[in-house]
Structures are given as C-alpha cells and as structure tokens.
Amino acid sequence: MFARLSMFVAACILQASPAYADQFRVTSQGEYFTAAKAVRAGDTIILANGTWRDFEIILTGKGTKDRPIVLKAEDSGKVAITGQSNLRIGGEHIEVSGLVFRDGYSPSGEVISFRRSKADQARNSRITEIVIDGFSKPGRFDDDYWVSLYGKNNRFDHNYLAGKTNKGVTMAVRLDSNESRDNGHRIDHNYFGPRQNLGSNGGETLRIGTSTYSMYNSGTIVEDNFFENCDGEVEIISIKSGGNIVRRNVFVASRGALTLRHGNNNVIERNIFFGQNKDHTGGIRIINENQTVTGNYMEGLRGTGFAGALTVMNGVPNSPVNRYVQVSNARIEHNSILDSARITFGAGSDAERSAAPISSVFADNLMSSSDEGRFLEADDDTSGISFSNNLVISGNISSQISAIPVQKLALARAQNGLLYPVGEAFSNRGAPRDLVVLPRNQAGPVWYLKPAANSGFDTGNVVTVAPGEDTLGAALASAKAGDRLQLAAGEYTVNKTMLIDRTISISGPVDSTGSLNVAGAIIRFSRPALFEIAEGGNLRLTAVGIDGAEAPDNVGNSVIRTSAMPMQNNFALELDQVSVSNLTVNKFFDVIAIGKSTMADRIIIRRSTFSNITGMVLNAAAETDNYGQYNAEYVTIEDSSFNGVQNGIANIYRGGTDESTFGPHFKLTNSRATQVGNNKNSAFGTGLLLHGVQDTTISGNSFRDSAPIKIVQTVGVPITVLAGNSFGAGAQPVIEEMFYKGPSRVEIRGTKLTAAGAK
Ligand code: CA
C-alpha cells in the first residue's frame, strides 16, 4: 500500500473551514493508478525515486488555482521514465514536475499530451521541469510529437527537450478543436537543445497551429526560451495561426528560421539570434498579414534563401490556405541584423508566387553584411514596402530597393553583449539598448546538465596495433569513443566485419619525414564488408591502404556500409590519404554504401586514391520514396584520384518536391578521374550522378575516358557551379531540370573539352 499521509496545508488557514491535502507516495504503477483515482484538489502524488519502465501516466481531475492536483518526482531528476512510456493530463489545475523521460520512446503519437482524450483537454495546468532526452522512436520516419499542447491557459516552462531524431515536430500547439483556440498558453524558460538535421520536412522544433486551422487565433505566448543547435529543417519555429507573441527568446547556432508560415497578427519582438557563422543559420521569415517584427537582434547568420536573416516572401494571389498569403501591412522596425549574409524582399517570386508585399513598413533597422555578396536582395517589386531611417553599415544592395544609405559606422559591445553604434549619431537605429540575452542557465531545469560540445575524433587515447590476423578487430573491441587505433607498418587481416558504434579513428604510420605513409599499413578483409557503421558510430580513416582482393565472391560487397537497421543518429565518415584498390571479386563492390533510413552529417574524402573497383566510391541513393529524404548532408571530395571505378564516383539521390531541407551539399574539387562510370552493365552509365542536390561545386577536376557526369535539378533554388574542369571524350556534363523552366541556372565556366568530347 502507498503511504497516505494527511497534512495540514498552511495556506488553508485563511479559508473558512480547514482543508486537508493528501500526499500519496507511490512505488509502483498499481499504487500510482489507485492514487490517481483518489486525488482531489490540493493532493499531491509523489513518484518514488528510481526507474519507472513502460509507464503510460494519466492524470486528470479538478484542482483549483490555490489547490492544484500535483504529480511530482520524489526528488527532481531522480525519477526516470523509460521504455514505452508517455504522459497525458486532462482536467484543470494539474501540475506535473521533476520527471526525466529517457531510454525509450512513446508507444503513441505523443510523449506528453495536454489532453487525456478528445473530450478531456487540460485547462489552467502546468508542466514544469520535465526532461525529454533522446526519447525518440527508433525509425527515423516513424513520426510523433514530443509535446502537444491542447486546451486553454496551460503553461509549459523550465523543461528540457533535446535529441529528437525521428520525424515530427518537437513541440506542437494544437488548434484542432474550439476548446484549443484563443488558448492563452504560455511556453517559457524552456531549453530546446540539439535537434540534428532530419533530412526531410517534419523537423520543426516548435509549431503553433496547422494550415487547416490557421485562420484561427492561437494567442500563445512563447517567451524567454533558449534554442540551441535546433537544426531539424528550414523552420525552427513554424507559426501557423494568428495572434501569437514570440519574444525574448535566444536562438544559438540553429539552422533555419522562425517562420510566420500561416495566420495573421503575430508579434515577433526582442528575440536574439546568434548564428555563430554556421551554415544556414537564419532569422525571421514573414508571410501573411499584419505581422509585427520589431526590436530583434541578429548576428553572425549565414543563411540565404528561405533561411536568410530576414526574408519577406512573395504570396500567391487568392492563395489557398496551404500556400502563401501575400504579405500585407507588415511592420519591420528597429531590428539589428549584423554580420549576416542575406535579407530578401519578395522571396520565392515565381509564376505562382507572384504577389509582392504591400502596405508594409521597413524602418529604423541597422544592418551589416558578412561578405561581399548580395546582402539586401529583391526578388520582386519592393514598391509596396516603405523604407525609412534604415542604415546599412556594409553590404551590397539590390538596385530594386529604394535608397538605403550605406555608411561606415563603428560598433561596440555593450554590457548586454550586443553590438550598438558608437556615439550619438545613429543611436536610435537598430535594436533597443535594453535587450537582455537570456542566460543559458535560466532555461530548462537547473538540475539537468545541458549538452557539452561533441567529443569528436581523436579526443581519447592512442592505442597502438601490431600487424597480423585479427589484431585490428581485437583492438577495436576494447577501444573507447574518441580513441585512435594507431597501426604500425605491415599487413592486417580482418575476418569479422568491424562494427563502428562509437567514434573511432584508425590511422596508419607516420614516416621519418613526419608525413603519413599510405603504403605503410594495408588492410585486407574476408567478409562482405570491412566496416559497418551502427547507431552512435563515427569513423575516420587516415593513411591506410585497403585491398579488397580477399573479400568473398558476392555481389554487392562494400568496404564501409551502414547498419541494415534504421539509424537514429546522424554519423560522420572521413577518409584522408586512404588508398582503396582491387574491389573486383564480383559486381557492384562499393567503397561506401549508405543504407535506407540512415543519414551522414558529413562524408569527407581527401587526398585519397581509388582504383579497380566494380561498384562506386559513394552510393548514397537509398531514399527512393521521393519524400524529400536523402542519405548525406555534406559530401566533400578533394585532391583525390579515381581510376577504373566502373559505376562512377558517387550516386546521391534526393527525390520529391518538398522544400524543407538545405541539403544535400556536394563538392568535388582538384581530383582526377580516369575510366570512371564505364560499366556496360551499370544502370546509370555516368561518372557521377547527382539528383536533387541543393548545393553543388565541381571545380578543378579532370575526367578522362569516362562516362558523363549527370546532374538532375529538382525543386528549390539549387546552387550549381562547375568551374575549371576538363572533360575528355564523351564525359562532358549532362544537366537536366525536372520542373524549372527558364534560363540555365547552372554556372559553368572555365571548362575544357577535348576535341572528341565537344558536341
Ligand atoms: Ca516544415
């Protein structure tokens, strides 16, 4: 039995009749549900410290403002909810605190729901100091929401949410029913921690409403939250409803933008964005009517396109609810946008999105660019925007934008850590002086540690390995994350596929001159794969030779493959001064083969050589469903050579028409390809096949006696540059556009074609 302790509640002395509150300390699920049935206003249920596995918590009832019904941990942070678990609350004046959801995932569509059922939505309730840490469904595209806010006047504060790896927004405010609109919810002082790139739509950190209900007011306040490395997709926050206030939040190194996607009359003020020079970090994107964007501060943002520091979109005339309502009556005033890459007016202008912004004001803003490229861009007519009292300190401005003065101006950091003009001359431009940057330690529960920087490669011990049979496998078995296996010169035979489920670096010997000696350490293997990257794994290979001659006579071997199971965490793979040869025992022997539902944050190949290979060097084309998913965010190949690689250098595929991702990115520079892609049996007949890649640079390469490289451009605004390459007979690039019609948007320059290759 649980302990039923009656205690006198001091606060009740003031009431006419003395009231008692019960406190139930429970140690099992059975005790919990008995207590949950018995609770009345003022009662508290205490979950005993420890681990509660497979626990679907439900709590409802009628508390009052002064006498809420409370569910809390015996000690905050010492109650772990694991396995297949979730929490639903209904009723009113319910408060839940102190629980840690980890080591598991919700068996339903939500981890925390502010409704017990459609008929029982929470009101005047609060969830505070809860942790949801990596509580993701195993399948990347098996979707759920971690938190769904329903009902009215609920508060979600001082919580920690980080490490969501599966599809579905981290937190959603739902407006599906009348009871959930004009809701007066408050979302404050939460820590929204790292959310890795999903590689698909559905990776938003916070969404308020949906297109279907976007004509309704939500009336939600989002304030004093800290967003860090929220990299899920192009929208960090997606507002899809009206009448919300988003203020005083801090966004650090987060890819994407706060997007006013649907709904009118939202206020975005006094938010701080620090891009820290990270790719695709953006600020605010404006769509719809009567949006106010004032007093925001942005610094070091590197995003362009839909993730610029400030993006004012073009609309669709008489737009359907799920497309783009024309910007009208936007007020964009007193913002500082400093050391940032792009501000765009009329963004997304095309045949469908043809309605430029109208009746809008852009005033008293202070701006400076991060580089020499276009800083203030106009993709359409800007005459519907009134520009006044703005100042650009540095940056290239489109001639379509009515005059904004450019004037050098010294900035200095004030006490609050933000940059402001020195002197009085322009002191009234830009963001207010009294902005406060919310300290990181004021977001989330104080008792839960926030993530440190990744440990990364070569941060652990150096473990020396002697040549021989299975010595490498034995060394790997006892290596810890961050360790480097340092190989001596000689031959290594591996008879078991090496499972990489930690961050591991393997390096060959350094010769007497101090440079790495590729010929020094040779690895041979007798299984269909040498390495398999599994959940949690990252692999760096440096200065080793890999010879496939001893591999079994199978179709489809590979040197490095990913787990056959879906992987939750993105991985990194780096090859430097690696020599791979003799992958010829059977057909389709690849160097790197990425499987479905696995995603590389980066694959970097430098100073490496690949010769006599029946497959391809990088096979990253497993996401064939055309949902806008793909297998690798950044692929970088530099200073490498390819000789006799029958199926080509790489096949990277991102299908579909969704515009919610930044990648894939592909770079091939200063490399040489000879007899690449010439396999008569290859389905592709290409030396390199890129489909739906968003950002491509191919420069300073030579292709000889090779099949053509083929680039298929799909949706979005792909950036494709081919510069300073020479293409031999038959190898010149083939460029295809699937949807876009218009002048070529591929930049080709400095290309040499041999006589036979020119057509
Ligand atoms: Ca989205």
Side-chain angles (χ1 to χ4, degrees):
M1 270 300 288
F2 51 79
R4 183 174 181 123
L5 310 165
S6 287
M7 61 177 258
F8 192 71
V9 175
C12 299
I13 294 169
L14 300 174
Q15 298 191 356
S17 60
Y20 288 83
D22 286 328
Q23 192 158 316
F24 306 92
R25 180 181 180 275
V26 298
T27 59
S28 71
Q29 291 193 34
E31 289 179 7
Y32 171 78
F33 287 111
T34 306
K37 269 196 199 115
V39 285
R40 296 156 305 182
D43 289 351
T44 298
I45 302 176
I46 295 172
L47 294 186
N49 288 350
T51 300
W52 296 68
R53 204 180 156 75
D54 300 335
F55 188 13
E56 297 196 62
I57 308 170
I58 298 173
L59 185 62
T60 187
K62 276 195 188 323
T64 66
K65 186 166 193 293
D66 299 322
R67 297 168 57 74
I69 294 169
V70 174
L71 168 62
K72 64 179 192 180
E74 184 171 24
D75 291 307
S76 286
K78 296 203 171 146
V79 172
I81 312 292
T82 68
Q84 309 257 305
S85 300
N86 55 26
L87 165 67
R88 280 182 284 157
I89 62 169
E92 53 193 297
H93 295 290
I94 306 270
E95 279 187 25
V96 184
S97 67
L99 314 179
V100 177
F101 287 85
R102 61 167 169 80
D103 301 324
Y105 56 93
S106 172
S108 66
E110 290 148 337
V111 179
I112 293 177
S113 176
F114 280 75
R115 76 175 187 193
R116 184 178 60 89
S117 63
K118 279 185 180 165
D120 183 12
Q121 308 200 8
R123 280 162 292 136
N124 300 302
S125 291
R126 181 180 182 197
I127 288 184
T128 183
E129 297 202 20
I130 296 279
V131 169
I132 307 180
D133 191 349
F135 207 68
S136 300
K137 286 188 163 60
R140 292 181 78 87
F141 300 111
D142 190 359
D143 63 336
D144 65 5
Y145 300 156
W146 273 8
V147 180
S148 285
L149 255 174
Y150 296 91
K152 271 197 174 44
N153 301 318
N154 295 313
R155 185 176 179 202
F156 187 79
D157 67 285
H158 293 91
N159 300 291
Y160 173 110
L161 289 82
K164 191 169 198 283
T165 54
N166 64 317
K167 187 172 178 168
V169 304
T170 307
M171 175 167 188
V173 177
R174 311 294 305 275
L175 306 184
D176 312 35
S177 67
N178 256 325
E179 302 95 297
S180 290
R181 298 170 194 151
D182 276 320
N183 53 51
H185 297 320
R186 184 175 173 213
I187 299 167
D188 65 283
H189 294 93
N190 299 291
Y191 176 75
F192 292 98
R195 173 156 194 185
Q196 69 180 7
N197 174 28
L198 179 64
S200 156
N201 193 6
E204 303 89 345
T205 293
L206 173 62
R207 194 189 71 208
I208 302 180
T210 53
S211 59
T212 314
Y213 303 107
S214 59
M215 69 292 281
Y216 295 105
N217 264 3
S218 182
T220 299
I221 295 177
V222 180
E223 63 187 6
D224 302 315
N225 298 285
F226 201 96
F227 296 81
E228 186 169 45
N229 292 308
C230 293
D231 295 342
E233 59 144 276
V234 298
E235 299 171 295
I236 306 168
I237 296 181
S238 183
I239 305 278
K240 295 187 167 179
S241 55
N244 300 289
I245 298 173
V246 181
R247 64 188 172 205
R248 304 192 305 258
N249 301 285
V250 178
F251 299 83
V252 175
S254 292
R255 288 170 32 139
L258 193 177
T259 303
L260 299 172
R261 185 67 188 83
H262 299 298
N264 305 324
N265 306 306
N266 294 291
V267 175
I268 312 298
E269 62 182 2
R270 302 172 74 91
N271 299 285
I272 316 268
F273 297 79
F274 294 124
Q276 298 185 342
N277 311 326
K278 183 164 135 183
D279 269 13
H280 306 300
T281 47
I284 299 167
R285 182 156 69 105
I286 301 170
I287 305 154
N288 310 290
E289 300 172 0
N290 308 326
Q291 314 283 27
T292 302
V293 175
T294 58
N296 299 285
Y297 181 94
M298 305 168 186
E299 186 182 342
L301 300 179
R302 293 293 174 267
T304 59
F306 285 3
L310 189 70
T311 309
V312 184
M313 292 285 291
N314 252 29
V316 176
N318 304 312
S319 175
V321 71
N322 65 338
R323 292 300 293 156
Y324 289 82
V325 171
Q326 182 179 29
V327 171
S328 162
N329 198 30
R331 209 156 60 77
I332 306 163
E333 295 171 330
H334 281 293
N335 301 288
S336 291
I337 302 171
L338 305 174
D339 180 29
S340 291
R342 185 71 53 79
I343 294 169
T344 309
F345 301 97
S349 170
D350 59 19
E352 184 208 15
R353 287 183 291 230
S354 60
I358 54 167
S359 307
S360 295
V361 172
F362 187 84
D364 299 298
N365 298 293
L366 180 69
M367 296 160 274
S368 73
S369 69
S370 54
D371 58 32
E372 301 302 306
R374 182 55 63 78
F375 178 39
L376 263 67
E377 182 66 283
D379 287 351
D380 206 323
D381 178 25
T382 61
S383 63
I385 303 173
S386 146
F387 292 86
S388 63
N389 287 326
N390 299 292
L391 184 67
V392 170
I393 298 168
S394 66
N396 176 320
I397 304 175
S398 163
S399 60
Q400 288 195 63
I401 297 173
S402 66
I404 294 182
V406 180
Q407 180 164 343
K408 280 227 182 316
L409 184 65
L411 299 176
R413 278 195 201 279
Q415 286 261 300
N416 63 1
L418 307 180
L419 292 166
Y420 293 96
V422 174
E424 290 303 305
F426 296 100
S427 61
N428 58 346
R429 305 294 162 85
R433 298 265 171 172
D434 63 349
L435 284 184
V436 176
V437 184
L438 180 83
R440 193 172 184 252
N441 63 13
Q442 288 185 18
V446 289
W447 42 260
Y448 200 77
L449 214 60
K450 295 186 178 69
N454 278 349
S455 61
F457 290 114
D458 295 313
T459 54
N461 296 317
V462 175
V463 180
T464 56
V465 186
E469 196 150 343
D470 297 323
T471 53
L472 184 50
L476 175 68
S478 53
K480 295 191 176 56
D483 284 358
R484 170 154 55 116
L485 305 183
Q486 180 64 57
L487 312 189
E491 301 203 355
Y492 295 77
T493 303
V494 173
N495 293 310
K496 207 162 94 178
T497 294
M498 293 200 286
L499 198 68
I500 305 294
D501 58 2
R502 293 144 284 166
T503 298
I504 293 291
S505 168
I506 299 175
S507 177
V510 175
D511 70 16
S512 56
T513 65
S515 63
L516 296 161
N517 185 344
V518 174
I522 303 290
I523 304 173
R524 295 190 169 85
F525 57 105
S526 61
R527 300 295 303 150
L530 172 57
F531 297 105
E532 177 172 308
I533 297 178
E535 194 65 60
N538 298 293
L539 178 63
R540 172 184 280 170
L541 298 176
T542 310
V544 292
I546 296 171
D547 185 321
E550 318 251 306
D553 187 2
N554 294 344
V555 175
N557 290 334
S558 52
V559 175
I560 302 164
R561 70 182 179 205
T562 57
S563 169
M565 305 295 290
M567 278 168 57
Q568 294 181 300
N569 290 287
N570 297 352
F571 64 93
L573 174 61
E574 299 181 6
L575 278 63
D576 186 13
Q577 299 182 69
V578 171
S579 165
V580 181
S581 57
N582 301 324
L583 310 188
T584 54
V585 62
N586 206 317
K587 294 186 286 188
F588 307 117
F589 196 159
D590 293 334
V591 180
I592 301 165
I594 314 288
K596 195 164 170 55
S597 278
T598 69
M599 172 96 181
D601 264 335
R602 61 177 189 272
I603 295 172
I604 300 175
I605 298 171
R606 289 197 177 99
R607 301 182 289 178
S608 294
T609 63
F610 302 89
S611 55
N612 295 327
I613 292 170
T614 59
M616 56 185 82
V617 172
L618 172 62
N619 190 343
E623 300 295 354
T624 53
D625 297 325
N626 292 335
Y627 295 149
Q629 299 158 356
Y630 52 101
N631 293 124
E633 185 66 14
Y634 289 94
V635 174
T636 303
I637 303 172
E638 299 172 349
D639 305 313
S640 294
S641 69
F642 305 86
N643 201 328
V645 181
Q646 293 183 19
N647 281 343
I649 295 171
N651 180 10
I652 300 174
Y653 186 86
R654 182 215 188 271
T657 57
D658 185 83
E659 293 179 276
S660 301
T661 68
F662 294 114
H665 304 69
F666 178 80
K667 191 183 263 188
L668 173 65
T669 56
N670 300 322
S671 296
R672 295 157 305 287
T674 308
Q675 295 189 324
V676 162
N678 292 337
N679 182 6
K680 298 283 179 292
N681 300 319
S682 166
F684 310 114
T686 58
L688 169 68
L689 179 57
L690 306 178
H691 181 111
V693 172
Q694 294 295 303
D695 186 347
T696 302
T697 302
I698 298 175
S699 71
N701 306 292
S702 72
F703 298 82
R704 286 197 302 125
D705 301 330
S706 293
I709 66 175
K710 183 172 173 184
I711 298 172
V712 180
Q713 307 221 100
T714 61
V715 291
V717 190
I719 299 166
T720 304
V721 177
L722 279 68
N725 301 295
S726 74
F727 297 102
Q732 66 273 31
V734 176
I735 315 278
E736 284 180 17
E737 288 279 1
M738 282 188 78
F739 309 106
Y740 169 85
K741 299 200 176 1
S744 171
R745 49 182 187 170
V746 174
E747 183 182 340
I748 302 182
R749 55 191 152 83
T751 298
K752 275 187 277 179
L753 299 178
T754 62
K759 275 204 233 186

